[in-house]
Structures are given as C-alpha cells and as structure tokens.
Amino acid sequence: MGAGHAMRCIALAESLRVAGIEPVFAMRQTTDLVRDALDVRGMRCVDLGAYGGGACAESEDAAATVDACKRLGDVRMVVVDSYTLGAVWCGSVRSSDRRVVVIDDLHDRDLDADLVMNTAPHVSPAAYSGRVARGTPLLLGPRFALLRREFEGRRGAARDVDVVSDRVLVFYGGGDIEAVTDTTIDVLTRHPRRPARIEAIGATVGSATEESTAMTGVRRHRLADGLAALASTCTVAFGAAGVSAIERLYLGLPAACACMAENQRPSLDWLEQHGLVLRLDRVDTDSITRAADALLAGASRKWFAAAAADGLFGDATFPTRRVAAAIQELTCT
C-alpha cells in the first residue's frame, strides 16, 4: 500500500473509530512509514500474504480477503482502495451481511459495490454511468475528501499566515523517486527572493522526525503526523497534484503543483483551469524557478481563488465526517 492510499485510508479509519466502528487494515505489502503511521494510531492489521499477480490476482485477492473476514468475525463492511480490483473482486467479497465500499480515482472499470467514492474535483456521476449498478450511492468530489483528523478545525488556516513570514513548504508525496524535493530546495536557496525558512518533507530524509541540514533556513522532516500544523504556518508550497493538493486547498495554502503520477493529471488540469494551483509543467530547474518567481513575489495572493477553494468543500462539516456518516448509515441498512 502506497503512502497516499494509506493516509486516506487512515483518515477514514480515524473517523470510523470515532463513530464507534472499529477498523482493521488488511494489506499485502507496504512501507515502514505506513506501518509506523498505523502503529502509532493503534490500528489493527492483518497480513493477506503474498501472491503472484497476473490474471488470477483479483479472484485470489478476494479469496484471501474473505478468509481474513472469517478469521476476524462479524466484518460488516470492507473498504477497498486499489486500482486493480473491480467487479469480480467486489462480487466475491460481498455477501448478504457484508457490504463493499470502493475508494476510486480512475473510473475505468466496472464496480459491483454498495458505495463508491472518488474525491477528485473533476469527476461527475456521468463518469460511473454503466460502471456501477443504477442507484449505487456515489460520494464524489472534495466535499468527501479523506482528510486526517489533524486537519480538522484548520480549514483556511494558512490564509491567516502573515505573507511576510516567508516560509515555504516542499512536499511531493511519499514516493519522490525523482528527487524533486532536492531540486526544489536548490532552486529556492539560490533564488533572489530566498525564503526565510524552507520546510521540506520527504520519505528519505533520515530516521529522525526532523533533522537540520547544512543549509541555513532549511529543515527536513519525515513523512509523519504534524503536516497540517506545519503547513498552516507556511505562506506557499511546492508539491504533488494528488491527495496533498486537496489538503493544501483545505488549508488555503497557495501552491505550485507537479503531476507526479499519471492518475493525477486530470485533477491537475481541472485545478489549473479553475485558478486553484500554479502548474509545474516539468519538475526541472527552469520550471521550478518560474514558479518560484511567481510564488515568492506574492503573485499567488492574486491568482489563488480562495473563495473557489472554499466552494470545493461545501459547508463547515469536516469532509471525512461526511464519509463516515454515509458508511455508518450503510451498515445500518
């Protein structure tokens, strides 16, 4: 399980636990960082074991999941977050007393589910026409964003930060395989408007929660709890266009966004078209420098449409609580 998928599942699990529903994570492979995030929250985990993949992977995974449900006992709902599991898996896991909820991003396959959620800003119900049974509940858009509890009560918090504080957040997600974080730090430290503080988060910055670097004004952090509090103190950000982009919008933090995975592209296109992000066409020195010119000059306050961002999330209800309420209702029907 990758970091982005894991963190949104953790967000949902936190809210379900508050609602009185005890979550259990069933996984095959994950990273130490994800394991740490689960352990620190006291989340129970079961190992589904290894499998060979290929054409039989979906039915094989479903069989392992059903077996885990039997061992756990009284599992009334299974929430799945995977790009490879579709209608075959759902149909095998569902039963008369067990519902299936799918967290989706791609709307590219049939889903035999009791509820489907896709929090991307560009997705409409039409995307699932013919993909799900008629009448299947759809939770679509950032109103149902899976934000961790650390974000609750921080909506728009970054907009209250004094613009002269000049603190920049750099976070391209848990899988920054192209070392974009280091490139961005290099650009910012050499920029004529060099920020007073650069807060860089990455999965490979060392074992300590926070470690200083040789460069004055740069602090590196592990991917861990505290992101919401840290981001709320920043003026602008550089990051990926996935889940973290929605987190920044919730905080009201202007950002330059890069497409770090192909599934992020449609969301990034939509956010750019609606004036909610500054797009990084490439993750190279020239592109990052141009974005830094705009962000560090304060231009972000002109193009960042805070009111539009507010509209993404609906009323004051915390988005993850909306999802937990919908799932809780489903378990009672």
Side-chain angles (χ1 to χ4, degrees), residues 4 11 40 54 61 93 97 121 123 126 161 175-176 180 245 248 250 263 291 328:
V40 77
D61 192 283
V93 172
D97 57 355
V123 175
V161 176
D176 181 10
V180 182
R248 292 189 296 267
Y250 190 79
N263 65 290
Q328 191 171 27

Side-chain angles (χ1 to χ4, degrees), residues 33 36 40 199-212 219-227 230:
L33 285 169
D36 290 346
V40 77
E199 307 286 359
I201 302 175
T204 58
V205 299
S207 58
T209 300
E210 177 185 305
E211 62 175 16
S212 299
R219 293 197 305 176
R220 291 179 178 262
H221 310 259
R222 279 178 61 87
L223 177 60
D225 286 338
L227 172 61
L230 179 65

Side-chain angles (χ1 to χ4, degrees), residues 252-277:
L253 181 62
C257 285
C259 182
M260 302 299 288
E262 193 59 33
N263 65 290
Q264 297 176 0
R265 193 172 302 281
S267 290
L268 179 55
D269 291 342
W270 190 95
L271 293 172
E272 181 189 28
Q273 291 166 8
H274 287 76
L276 296 175
V277 299

Side-chain angles (χ1 to χ4, degrees), residues 14-167:
E14 288 175 333
S15 282
L16 290 174
R17 178 179 277 176
V18 170
I21 300 173
E22 186 59 29
V24 178
F25 280 75
M27 302 178 295
R28 294 189 182 277
Q29 295 177 330
T30 190
T31 65
D32 290 341
L33 285 169
V34 171
R35 288 286 185 188
D36 290 346
L38 292 168
D39 289 345
V40 77
R41 292 171 173 82
M43 295 291 178
R44 185 179 176 186
C45 299
V46 296
D47 188 356
L48 295 181
Y51 71 96
C56 67
E58 191 167 0
S59 58
E60 185 178 339
D61 192 283
T65 302
V66 170
D67 181 65
C69 290
K70 291 178 179 177
R71 285 186 279 118
L72 289 167
D74 194 29
V75 175
R76 301 189 58 190
M77 180 167 296
V78 177
V79 180
V80 60
D81 186 351
S82 170
Y83 294 154
T84 61
L85 304 178
V88 171
W89 186 95
C90 293
S92 299
V93 172
R94 288 177 75 195
S95 68
S96 59
D97 57 355
R98 183 168 57 239
R99 305 297 184 91
V100 168
V101 173
V102 175
I103 302 175
D104 187 38
D105 293 317
L106 305 177
H107 51 85
D108 64 344
R109 62 202 184 282
D110 294 344
L111 297 169
D112 182 16
D114 296 284
L115 184 149
V116 175
M117 54 183 304
N118 184 330
T119 62
H122 64 282
V123 175
S124 70
Y128 288 95
S129 177
R131 293 291 190 187
V132 300
R134 187 182 298 274
T136 300
L138 301 173
L139 306 185
L140 306 180
R143 289 181 63 249
F144 301 100
L146 294 174
L147 303 174
R148 298 184 302 284
R149 290 185 66 191
E150 62 177 294
F151 285 87
E152 192 162 11
R154 294 185 181 273
R155 183 168 174 174
R159 291 203 294 271
D160 297 329
V161 176
D162 187 346
V163 70
V164 299
S165 67
D166 204 17
R167 177 179 289 188

